[in-house]
Amino acid sequence: MLILGIESSCDETAASVVENGRRVRSNRIASQVPLHQRYGGVVPEIASRAHLEQIVPIVEGALGEAGVSLVEIDAVAVTRGPGLIGCLLVGVEYAKALAATRGLPLIAVQHVAGHLYSPSIGREKDAWGQDVRRSADFEPYIGLAISGGHSSLVLVRGPLQYETLGETLDDAVGEAYDKIAKLIGLGYPGGPQVDEWAARGDSGAFHLPRPLLKKAGYDFSFSGLKTAFAREVEKLGGREYVERNERLTADLCASFQAACIDVLLGRAKKALKDYDLKRLAVVGGVACNKGLREALARLRDVDVAFPEPEFCTDNAAMIAGAAAPIFQAREFSDISLSATAQLELAAPPQSWQVVATT
Ligand code: KG4
Ligand code: ZN
């Protein structure tokens, strides 16, 4: 079974061909980072226009890299939401047109469901170390989905069987990284840069809060941490002063990163203990974070899956992969499918809830 996946929810135009929901035959991504860099964040209008320009070459590139033509494709999968509506529309309308003209089944995938599926895909091995040419021996795991738009702790009982345990009450962790990076004059996207600077700094230099860590439940909150960081920058003399001082930049980044890692790790460990599980999958753009990977690798008695970085940040392989169980359940969409800016993660797929349509 070959599924062509398309992803355009934010600032990456992506297409991929995945075999049997496991083996990535191609993974093409056109990043728009250079287009948004000078604005310090994603500009929705610029993003939608860039998706329009990129979608055809990216899909053709994915088919070419996989060495297949549309005739061999069994279904077209697309991210329906959540995301920026103008961006989602490009992918959804293109996928609908492709499916209709080629007579292919159309499959709608929720974006975070794609991220949570990403440990099961790979070029040779999946993120658990299993051969992707074989079907997966599924064992339940705790999924930590951390990106620029989401921070969720999810109990994964089976393929696409998701139960959200906790979510962020305000900013997503990647969003907090991007915002504090901006506060000290680091470029966009801030996450990877803060990660680099943090490796050179002293994580004990500034005492930043660990929001909600001691509270019951599994929710996150990052906005208080971001405000505390901003206060430290002000106390030090403001952005210009910090920008000129490499030691301060490194120490601030290291202290911020340590607070994030403590919170993410603390919540994940609590969920593993409460549900008596030994498997943890860390997915989404922030899962690329080196400090977090090192801290998680030190966990004893826990099997941690880190998808390859190309499957952590937004990509279409995770969408094509997550579409496989939906294909098997024959839960197809039709030409009336609409892009949806806010779409809850829910399971099974037929119970996806539409919260609001922009
Ligand atoms: O999954 P993704 O590509 O898009 C969303 O669905 O949001 O995640 C992008 C986010 C950005 O906020 C970016 O700063 C963050 O992931 N990110 C990182 C790192 N690499 C990417 N955050 C911390 N450390 C990193 N190494
Ligand atoms: Zn994402």
Side-chain angles (χ1 to χ4, degrees), residues 78 80-81 106-111 113-114 117 158-163 319 321-333 337 343-354:
V78 66
R80 177 190 182 190
L106 177 67
I107 297 170
V109 178
Q110 201 265 14
H111 181 81
Y117 189 89
L160 295 194
Q161 300 300 307
Y162 301 133
E163 191 183 313
I319 302 301
I326 308 177
F327 183 88
Q328 268 141 11
R330 310 207 75 73
E331 284 286 331
F332 300 132
S333 299
L337 177 71
L343 186 66
E344 293 285 332
L345 173 72
Q350 54 266 45
S351 68
W352 284 353
Q353 264 175 271
V354 176

Side-chain angles (χ1 to χ4, degrees), residues 9 111 115 147 150 284-285 312-314 318:
S9 64
H111 181 81
H115 276 301
S147 70
H150 320 276
C312 281
T313 48
D314 287 348
M318 66 184 193

Side-chain angles (χ1 to χ4, degrees), residues 49-63:
R49 189 175 289 268
H51 284 305
L52 270 177
E53 285 165 8
Q54 290 295 334
I55 191 110
V56 174
I58 282 291
V59 169
E60 283 175 357
L63 291 168

Side-chain angles (χ1 to χ4, degrees), residues 106-126:
L106 177 67
I107 297 170
V109 178
Q110 201 265 14
H111 181 81
V112 185
H115 276 301
L116 285 162
Y117 189 89
S118 62
S120 298
I121 58 170
R123 291 180 188 269
E124 298 286 333
K125 297 234 157 113
D126 67 15

Side-chain angles (χ1 to χ4, degrees), residues 184 197-206 236 241-255:
I184 53 173
W197 279 99
R200 283 173 262 153
D202 170 8
S203 61
F206 298 94
L236 289 166
Y241 183 73
V242 174
E243 248 178 320
R244 284 195 303 270
N245 190 321
E246 294 201 348
R247 166 80 5 227
L248 279 182
T249 301
D251 286 351
L252 279 165
C253 289
S255 303

